[in-house]
């Protein structure tokens, strides 16, 4: 039995059509020594049926970590998935982000002790999100800027995220005004560092819950590398019916304390301290 190198932790909740596209994208990865751990925040049986079916077709192992639906509890299920992961290196992404074939190879190449990696995503409109098929993912044409423009994508500086290669890619990673933060859709780090930080703060709901983990990693002396123009994923469009202003406010208060008190380990994480 070979040892798994990277565990890809994918959060999902009741969107099997999008999750299916995401799982197909991981079947195209050039980097092969990985597993997928699905952090499922209480999806219905439709998602389980999809995972059972697709699990027979893809070349990588899938762990399905599920708990009952009890409102937005993404941080709790992410911690359960983190504990269940078998790799020493963890890549976190979302069940609405299709990864380019070199996505995991980029994370593997850039990883370094004492760092976490901070990637971004490329937002697609709903029309293109729905249009992308298994064949488009297998051929990788959904990452081709001309194909996207043919299907209605507008010209924008942001398109560099998909087209930048070589020197331009390195320069844009260096010059981007976006701070390297821990992003739930595209970040990675060593499992030991995440366990040392006690994982995600389970008091937190939607809004900055990923960033707060990164802030604790910073407090413990871990630095961030920007891979925004290197590790590419397409974000499929969806409604956000679960966002409530009080969630955002509560989370901001927790993050304020994390920064002010230089918190490195949450007492409300994997282990309740």
């Amino acid at each position: 039995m070979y040892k798994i190198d990277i565990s890809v932790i994918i959060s999902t909740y009741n969107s099997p059509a999008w999750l299916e596209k995401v799982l197909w994208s991981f079947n195209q990865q050039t980097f092969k020594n990985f597993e997928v751990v699905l952090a499922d925040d209480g999806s219905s049986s439709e998602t389980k049926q999809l995972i059972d079916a697709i699990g027979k077709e893809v070349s990588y192992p899938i762990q399905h970590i599920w708990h009952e639906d009890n409102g937005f509890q993404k941080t709790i299920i992410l911690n359960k998935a983190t504990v269940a992961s078998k790799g020493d290196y963890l890549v976190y992404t979302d069940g609405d982000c299709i990864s380019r074939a070199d996505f995991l190879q980029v994370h593997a190449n850039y990883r370094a002790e004492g760092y976490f990696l901070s990637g971004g995503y490329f937002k697609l409109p709903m029309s293109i999100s729905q249009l992308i098929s298994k064949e488009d993912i297998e051929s990788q044409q959904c990452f081709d800027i001309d194909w996207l423009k043919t299907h209605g994508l507008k010209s924008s500086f942001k398109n560099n995220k998909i087209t930048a290669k070589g020197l331009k890619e390195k320069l844009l990673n260096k010059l981007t005004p976006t701070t390297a933060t821990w992003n739930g859709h595209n970040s990675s780090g060593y499992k030991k560092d995440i366990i040392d930080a006690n994982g995600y703060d389970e008091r937190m709901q939607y809004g900055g819950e990923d960033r707060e983990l990164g802030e604790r990693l910073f407090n413990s002396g871990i630095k961030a590398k920007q891979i925004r123009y290197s590790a590419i994923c397409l974000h499929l469009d969806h409604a956000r019916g679960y966002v409530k202003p009080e969630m955002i406010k509560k989370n901001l208060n927790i993050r304020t304390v994390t920064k002010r008190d230089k918190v490195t380990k949450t007492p409300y994480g994997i282990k309740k301290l």
Side-chain angles (χ1 to χ4, degrees):
M1 181 64 192
Y2 72 97
K3 182 164 176 6
I4 284 166
D5 183 8
I6 291 178
S7 292
V8 184
I9 298 179
I10 304 176
S11 62
T12 189
Y13 175 68
N14 277 339
S15 66
W18 278 184
L19 182 63
E20 183 175 35
K21 298 182 194 215
V22 173
L23 294 175
W24 285 129
S25 77
F26 279 98
N27 210 40
Q28 305 308 313
Q29 295 299 308
T30 55
F31 182 94
K32 300 294 186 197
N33 186 2
F34 71 96
E35 65 165 351
V36 160
V37 187
L38 288 168
D40 186 345
D41 193 14
S43 300
S44 68
S45 59
E46 202 185 337
T47 293
K48 174 147 186 7
Q49 285 158 7
L50 162 74
I51 295 160
D52 290 345
I54 211 165
K56 297 185 178 92
E57 296 186 52
V58 295
S59 58
Y60 55 85
I62 299 176
Q63 290 195 63
H64 184 201
I65 310 298
W66 178 91
H67 62 191
E68 253 176 72
D69 188 356
N70 188 18
F72 189 92
Q73 293 192 317
K74 183 182 168 187
T75 47
I76 297 175
I77 201 68
L78 280 171
N79 280 344
K80 288 176 182 168
T82 299
V83 171
S85 63
K86 293 175 181 159
D88 292 331
Y89 196 75
L90 309 182
V91 175
Y92 291 80
T93 185
D94 286 332
D96 53 17
C97 291
I98 301 178
S99 295
R100 199 168 68 184
D102 61 347
F103 180 80
L104 287 182
Q105 192 61 60
V106 167
H107 277 276
N109 291 350
Y110 279 88
R111 64 182 160 180
E113 294 279 348
Y115 287 86
F116 71 80
L117 303 181
S118 172
Y121 59 36
F122 187 85
K123 272 187 169 161
L124 294 179
M126 184 59 85
S127 56
I128 301 177
S129 301
Q130 289 169 330
L131 181 80
I132 291 175
S133 67
K134 181 187 174 188
E135 289 67 39
D136 298 327
I137 295 165
E138 286 176 343
S139 69
Q140 294 286 292
Q141 70 180 3
C142 58
F143 293 93
D144 183 315
I145 199 71
D146 296 327
W147 185 87
L148 289 165
K149 282 182 170 175
T150 304
H151 294 97
L153 186 75
K154 294 181 170 58
S155 292
S156 155
F157 179 80
K158 288 182 176 159
N159 294 354
N160 279 306
K161 265 196 197 162
I162 295 193
T163 57
K165 297 270 188 300
L167 183 63
K168 185 180 180 186
E169 173 196 324
K170 286 191 176 72
L171 275 172
L172 286 169
N173 279 334
K174 214 182 181 87
L175 300 173
T176 176
T178 309
T179 317
T181 52
W182 186 273
N183 308 315
H185 50 262
N186 186 354
S187 284
S188 65
Y190 283 93
K191 182 171 179 175
K192 63 175 169 47
D193 295 337
I194 292 151
I195 296 291
D196 284 347
N198 205 18
Y200 290 84
D201 187 315
E202 295 184 0
R203 293 172 299 169
M204 297 185 82
Q205 291 179 284
Y206 182 82
E209 71 282 0
D210 309 300
R211 297 274 177 100
E212 194 272 341
L213 169 58
E215 285 151 4
R216 280 185 280 116
L217 292 171
F218 283 139
N219 289 343
S220 66
I222 289 164
K223 298 184 180 79
K225 277 193 201 182
Q226 182 69 266
I227 55 166
R228 201 175 167 75
Y229 289 89
S230 307
I232 306 306
C233 60
L234 303 173
H235 181 266
L236 302 168
D237 197 18
H238 58 86
R240 285 180 172 75
Y242 44 76
V243 182
K244 296 186 178 77
E246 60 271 23
M247 284 186 188
I248 307 270
K249 187 166 182 269
K250 179 184 162 191
N251 284 7
L252 277 173
N253 291 339
I254 293 170
R255 288 176 64 192
T256 301
V257 173
T258 296
K259 288 178 194 166
R260 185 192 68 207
D261 298 349
K262 301 269 190 283
V263 178
T264 57
K265 199 182 196 98
T266 173
Y268 304 94
I270 292 165
K271 291 188 171 128
K272 307 301 170 272
L273 304 173

